[in-house]
Amino acid sequence: MFRYIVRRLLQMVLTFFGATFVVYALMFAAQDDPIQALVGERPITPSQRTALTERFHLDDNFFAQYWYYMKGLLTGDFGTSLTNRKIADMLADAWPVTLRLSLLAIVIAATIAILAGVVSGIRRGSIFDNATLAITLVVLAMPIVVLAPLAQLVFGIKLGWFPVTAGQDAGLWQLLLPATVLASLVVATELRVTRASVAENLRADYVRTAKAKGLTRARVIGVHVLRNSLIPVITLIGVDLGALMSGAIVTEKVFNIPGVGFNLFRGIRTEDGPLVVGFVSVLVIVFLVVNLIVDLLYAVLDPRIRYE
């Protein structure tokens, strides 16, 4: 196990540097005039432009800019955005909001997926199973750029069931609608994986053996089938974290939630390279750590799984 963790940590280091390099290259290639994009249509004096260009090394080549960024990052300095705000301070303000939103979305998605997936797997071919499959097809076909404003219009403006927007100190009720919209990105896939895993395990030899020993159906499903069926689902939840983070860009923009996605959207629009790369760097670290934790949970859920 120790050798496996060390090997994964080394892979995480390579992945982190590769991801930050690609993101920095994309932002560098997409930059036209970040200073003008920052100020909009307002005029900017040559002295101001020169000062900003020198401060953010905008006149240097790509590798020089990337070196300045990585040198600061490795010393714990995320840099300063073009708006003259410390990126570390912006992260400290944005992360708690996105964390609450993402955790709520994961809970909603996992609860619906596991409950409906188990029932569908047990009752394959039933009305509930067919209806569930049809609903998941609709959810999969609905992009979040359509679903988010549609949910806001219907449930927030027309019906008035939920708040239309959520602020910095948004509570559970204010985040419930955007979290449900965000959960729609992954709930359909998780539900289908749960259904397929439960149906497969119900046909396994150990289930027939358990029934032959006289165990009740509830105990067979609740103790044996469910535990083995959750292994691929938990894996998928870890992978889905990336989808939730990308979906948060749209969700937080639509519902005016000042989180990580909201700041990323603003940074991309204003060509604020330091802001985008700084936020993405933290997202990459979170994604890698969560996936490592999920992999280590394999051995907890299934003692047969061992890492050499």
Side-chain angles (χ1 to χ4, degrees):
M1 178 69 75
F2 177 75
R3 292 175 58 188
Y4 172 78
I5 295 177
V6 172
R7 187 167 65 250
R8 283 297 304 272
L9 290 175
L10 292 176
Q11 293 174 353
M12 288 168 59
V13 171
L14 295 176
T15 304
F16 172 76
F17 281 107
T20 54
F21 182 84
V22 171
V23 173
Y24 207 99
L26 291 174
M27 287 302 302
F28 184 86
Q31 281 183 352
D32 180 21
D33 187 355
I35 297 177
Q36 192 62 52
L38 176 66
V39 300
E41 297 181 355
R42 291 175 298 177
I44 182 170
T45 63
S47 60
Q48 291 174 327
R49 178 178 291 276
T50 302
L52 289 173
T53 300
E54 182 179 354
R55 178 178 180 181
F56 294 101
H57 309 286
L58 297 179
D59 54 347
D60 294 334
N61 59 45
F62 164 72
F63 291 102
Q65 291 188 35
Y66 182 70
W67 165 249
Y68 283 122
Y69 171 74
M70 292 307 302
K71 186 171 64 173
L73 185 63
L74 293 176
T75 57
D77 182 13
F78 286 92
T80 306
S81 73
L82 296 182
T83 58
N84 203 30
R85 286 193 62 190
K86 285 288 186 181
I87 296 178
D89 296 337
M90 300 176 70
L91 281 168
D93 293 336
W95 260 110
V97 183
T98 298
L99 188 61
R100 292 199 303 269
L101 178 65
S102 299
L103 288 178
L104 184 57
I106 290 175
V107 170
I108 293 173
T111 303
I112 296 175
I114 292 175
L115 291 178
V118 169
V119 175
S120 295
I122 296 173
R123 301 180 180 179
R124 293 190 66 182
S126 64
I127 297 177
F128 179 84
D129 183 36
N130 293 328
T132 301
L133 292 177
I135 293 173
T136 55
L137 281 176
V138 175
V139 174
L140 286 171
M142 186 79 71
I144 195 169
V145 293
V146 175
L147 187 60
L150 182 63
Q152 184 186 50
L153 175 65
V154 174
F155 299 105
I157 298 176
K158 297 293 184 181
L159 299 178
W161 292 354
F162 299 96
V164 178
T165 59
Q168 180 75 28
D169 300 321
L172 179 64
W173 181 248
Q174 291 175 301
L175 293 175
L176 186 58
L177 181 59
T180 304
V181 172
L182 190 58
S184 67
L185 280 173
V186 298
V187 66
T189 307
E190 292 177 4
L191 192 153
R192 284 173 169 260
V193 170
T194 305
R195 173 185 177 274
S197 183
V198 169
E200 179 183 356
N201 281 285
L202 284 174
R203 297 191 296 267
D205 293 336
Y206 72 87
V207 173
R208 288 192 292 270
T209 302
K211 291 180 179 178
K213 289 182 177 180
L215 297 180
T216 62
R217 180 176 175 82
R219 182 171 177 80
V220 171
I221 295 175
V223 177
H224 301 284
V225 174
L226 185 59
R227 181 176 181 178
N228 290 317
S229 300
L230 284 180
I231 296 176
V233 178
I234 290 181
T235 307
L236 190 61
I237 291 175
V239 175
D240 284 341
L241 182 65
L244 291 177
M245 291 302 177
S246 61
I249 297 177
V250 177
T251 306
E252 291 182 357
K253 177 63 176 66
V254 171
F255 291 94
N256 198 31
I257 302 173
V260 174
F262 183 87
N263 282 276
L264 274 176
F265 180 88
R266 186 175 59 184
I268 294 172
R269 186 185 61 188
T270 58
E271 301 180 15
D272 194 338
L275 173 68
V276 174
V277 180
F279 272 72
V280 171
S281 298
V282 177
L283 290 178
V284 170
I285 294 174
V286 172
F287 183 76
L288 292 174
V289 171
V290 169
N291 276 271
L292 176 61
I293 294 174
V294 168
D295 287 344
L296 295 179
L297 284 177
Y298 282 0
V300 177
L301 292 173
D302 192 345
R304 297 172 299 176
I305 299 175
R306 289 293 181 267
Y307 297 112
E308 299 297 337

